[in-house]
C-alpha cells in the first residue's frame, strides 16, 4: 500500500469523514478573494483583510511545505434551524478536536516516512482552506460558496496538515450543482450573490457569531428564534 493510501486510511481511522492531498503552492483563487474584499462585504471582520501574502501562498506559513493533507470532520445537521444555534457549536470546540486528530495523524505519518517540518491548521490560520479542500477532492464549490461533498453535503469543518515531504496529490471532483439553486433561493436574507460570494453583513452566521453591534431590524425577522 502506498504511503498516500496509508495516510488517507489513517485519517478515516482517527475520525475524519474525508481527506485528500495536494501540493503546496500559490493560491489559485486569490483573485476571487480580492474581488470579494473589494466589495466591502467583510462586515467588520478586519482579520480577513490581513496576512494576504500568506493567503496568496501557503508556503509563507511553512516555507518547507511540499504537501498538504486536507481533512473534513462532519457535524450534525440542524433538524430545527428555527431554534437554538448552529450544531457545529453545540459540542467540544471543533478547533481542539481537529488539532488533536491531526496531531494523531502527524504521529502516524512520522512512522512511515521522515518529516522534519510540519504545521497543523484548523480554521484560524490565514489560508484559503476551501480552495485546498476543493483541489484535494473533498468536494466542489457550491453556488453558496461552501464546499459540497457528494456523500454528506456541506455540514463539516476543515483542517490541514502541512508537511515537508512530497506526496502524490489526490484528484479533484467535478461540480454537481447543475441548475439547482436551492441555496440561493432559500437564504432568508438574500446574502448569497449569483456568483457565490457572500455579503457578510446580511449573513446570519456572521450576525450571530462575529458581529458585535445591534442586529438591524430589517434582518431580525429572518432569524427566527
Amino acid at each position: 500500500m502506498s504511503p498516500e493510501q496509508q495516510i488517507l486510511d489513517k485519517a478515516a481511522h482517527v475520525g475524519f469523514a474525508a481527506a485528500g492531498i495536494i501540493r503546496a503552492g500559490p493560491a489559485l483563487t486569490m483573485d476571487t478573494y480580492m474581488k470579494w474584499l473589494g466589495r466591502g462585504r467583510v462586515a467588520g471582520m478586519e482579520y480577513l483583510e490581513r496576512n494576504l501574502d500568506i493567503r496568496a501562498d501557503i508556503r509563507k506559513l511553512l516555507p518547507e511545505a511540499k504537501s498538504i493533507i486536507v481533512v473534513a470532520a462532519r457535524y450534525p445537521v440542524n433538524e430545527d434551524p428555527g431554534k437554538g444555534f448552529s450544531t457545529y457549536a453545540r459540542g467540544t470546540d471543533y478547533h481542539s478536536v481537529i488539532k488533536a486528530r491531526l496531531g494523531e495523524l502527524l504521529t502516524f505519518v512520522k512512522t512511515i516516512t521522515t518529516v522534519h517540518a510540519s504545521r497543523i491548521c484548523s480554521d484560524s490560520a490565514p489560508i484559503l482552506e476551501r480552495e485546498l479542500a476543493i483541489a484535494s477532492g473533498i468536494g466542489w464549490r457550491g453556488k453558496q460558496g461552501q464546499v459540497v461533498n457528494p456523500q454528506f453535503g456541506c455540514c463539516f469543518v476543515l483542517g490541514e496538515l502541512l508537511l515537508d515531504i512530497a506526496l502524490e496529490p489526490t484528484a479533484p471532483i467535478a461540480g454537481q450543482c447543475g441548475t439547482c439553486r436551492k441555496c440561493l433561493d432559500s437564504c432568508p436574507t438574500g446574502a448569497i450573490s449569483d456568483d457565490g460570494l457572500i455579503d457578510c453583513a446580511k449573513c446570519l452566521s456572521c450576525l450571530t457569531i462575529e458581529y458585535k453591534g445591534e442586529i438591524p431590524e430589517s434582518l431580525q425577522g429572518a432569524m427566527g428564534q
Side-chain angles (χ1 to χ4, degrees):
M1 185 184 297
S2 68
E4 290 83 0
Q5 191 58 54
Q6 291 182 66
I7 290 170
L8 296 178
D9 288 349
K10 184 64 176 181
H13 178 74
V14 302
F16 292 117
I21 302 169
I22 63 170
R23 292 191 177 97
L28 301 178
T29 58
M30 196 64 188
D31 288 346
T32 301
Y33 188 78
M34 295 304 295
K35 175 183 176 182
W36 176 71
L37 287 180
R39 291 182 179 179
R41 295 183 172 181
V42 297
M45 295 181 286
E46 291 87 358
Y47 62 87
L48 294 173
E49 301 177 275
R50 299 195 291 265
N51 300 305
L52 295 178
D53 58 330
I54 299 176
R55 298 180 195 276
D57 193 333
I58 198 168
R59 292 171 298 185
K60 296 287 181 66
L61 198 62
L62 183 71
E64 302 92 338
K66 294 180 180 178
S67 301
I68 306 169
I69 302 170
V70 190
V71 296
R74 297 182 66 181
Y75 57 84
V77 175
N78 194 345
E79 299 296 343
D80 188 357
K83 296 182 179 179
F85 49 88
S86 179
T87 48
Y88 84 81
R90 295 183 186 182
T92 304
D93 185 345
Y94 72 88
H95 298 88
S96 301
V97 174
I98 295 293
K99 288 180 178 179
R101 291 181 184 177
L102 283 175
E104 189 175 347
L105 182 60
L106 175 59
T107 298
F108 171 77
V109 174
K110 289 179 177 180
T111 67
I112 63 171
T113 187
T114 301
V115 176
H116 295 292
S118 62
R119 174 86 182 242
I120 290 174
C121 301
S122 176
D123 182 46
S124 55
I127 58 179
L128 303 185
E129 63 175 7
R130 292 184 186 182
E131 175 189 311
L132 306 183
I134 293 166
S136 72
I138 285 178
W140 69 88
R141 186 179 187 275
K143 293 181 180 179
Q144 85 291 45
Q146 289 180 287
V147 182
V148 184
N149 179 276
Q151 277 75 50
F152 48 83
C154 308
C155 291
F156 57 90
V157 291
L158 297 169
E160 298 78 30
L161 176 58
L162 282 60
L163 299 169
D164 66 341
I165 57 175
L167 296 171
E168 190 66 25
T170 50
I173 60 178
Q176 300 175 30
C177 288
T179 59
C180 176
R181 50 175 292 124
K182 287 183 179 179
C183 57
L184 284 85
D185 295 338
S186 63
C187 179
T189 60
I192 309 172
S193 302
D194 284 333
D195 57 6
L197 300 181
I198 309 299
D199 184 351
C200 291
K202 295 180 180 179
C203 180
L204 299 187
S205 177
C206 177
L207 290 172
T208 55
I209 299 173
E210 300 282 355
Y211 187 61
K212 307 304 181 186
E214 190 76 17
I215 295 175
E217 281 190 33
S218 60
L219 298 177
Q220 290 178 13
M223 296 181 65
Q225 300 181 28

